[in-house]
Amino acid sequence: MKHILVFLFCLYAIGTCAQQRNSIQEAMSNYDYEKAIELIGREKITPILLYQKAIALKGLNRYFEATNVLLQILEKEPENQRITLELAECYKQTGKFNEALKCYERILSNNPESKYSHIQVITILNIIERFADAKKHAWI
């Protein structure tokens, strides 16, 4: 009887956890970012949940907070280009163009064919009035 109760409790715990994750996905899909952040706060933190939290924070224009979350992820996954790209976007939105430029250049060092990153580098170089560098970069 004891084993059955333990088994049922485990099933309940797994089901509750799955429901919570589905609720997070639903909140993200419905752009209910505040609810998603709240639900993520109740979960054991994983890189995937941190990423979702960062996206939710970006969706709420809370770029400084999103930057901190993305930096947390990059500490554990320094080669993650998607996270580096999201971080660059946050830096760009907060006017930290030199930091954004470094992120895009890091992406290009790993993936020189990234047209998006090339365009972003050129755009940032023009914003910070490094026109000669932008022109050189445009011919790459």
Side-chain angles (χ1 to χ4, degrees):
M1 180 69 175
K2 186 177 180 182
H3 294 291
I4 293 173
L5 288 175
V6 170
F7 178 73
L8 290 174
F9 177 75
C10 288
L11 282 178
Y12 174 76
I14 291 169
T16 303
C17 183
Q19 274 183 315
Q20 189 81 344
R21 295 201 188 246
N22 286 339
S23 297
I24 293 169
Q25 292 296 78
E26 184 178 329
M28 293 295 289
S29 295
N30 292 327
Y31 302 97
D32 190 353
Y33 294 132
E34 289 176 345
K35 183 177 181 181
I37 292 168
E38 177 189 328
L39 293 170
I40 289 168
R42 297 179 191 166
E43 292 287 315
K44 181 181 177 195
I45 296 301
T46 65
I48 293 169
L49 286 177
L50 281 176
Y51 176 73
Q52 289 178 322
K53 182 177 182 179
I55 298 303
L57 289 166
K58 277 181 60 183
L60 294 170
N61 294 332
R62 293 166 54 184
Y63 297 107
F64 290 108
E65 292 172 79
T67 298
N68 291 333
V69 172
L70 292 166
L71 287 170
Q72 273 183 289
I73 300 169
L74 275 179
E75 283 179 15
K76 295 176 183 159
E77 302 177 22
E79 298 301 315
N80 189 322
Q81 290 190 10
R82 182 70 195 162
I83 300 303
T84 303
L85 180 72
E86 294 292 348
L87 181 61
E89 296 294 320
C90 286
Y91 281 141
K92 195 164 75 170
Q93 290 296 324
T94 57
K96 295 183 176 183
F97 298 113
N98 288 320
E99 289 88 343
L101 186 60
K102 289 176 190 173
C103 290
Y104 288 121
E105 288 173 342
R106 186 177 333 142
I107 291 168
L108 287 172
S109 70
N110 293 325
N111 183 8
E113 301 300 315
S114 174
K115 297 258 186 229
Y116 180 79
S117 295
H118 278 291
I119 292 168
Q120 296 308 310
V121 167
I122 293 166
T123 301
I124 290 172
L125 288 170
N126 281 317
I127 289 170
I128 60 176
E129 299 182 0
R130 288 176 46 191
F131 304 116
D133 291 335
K135 187 176 180 181
K136 288 177 194 172
H137 208 305
W139 297 106
I140 294 176

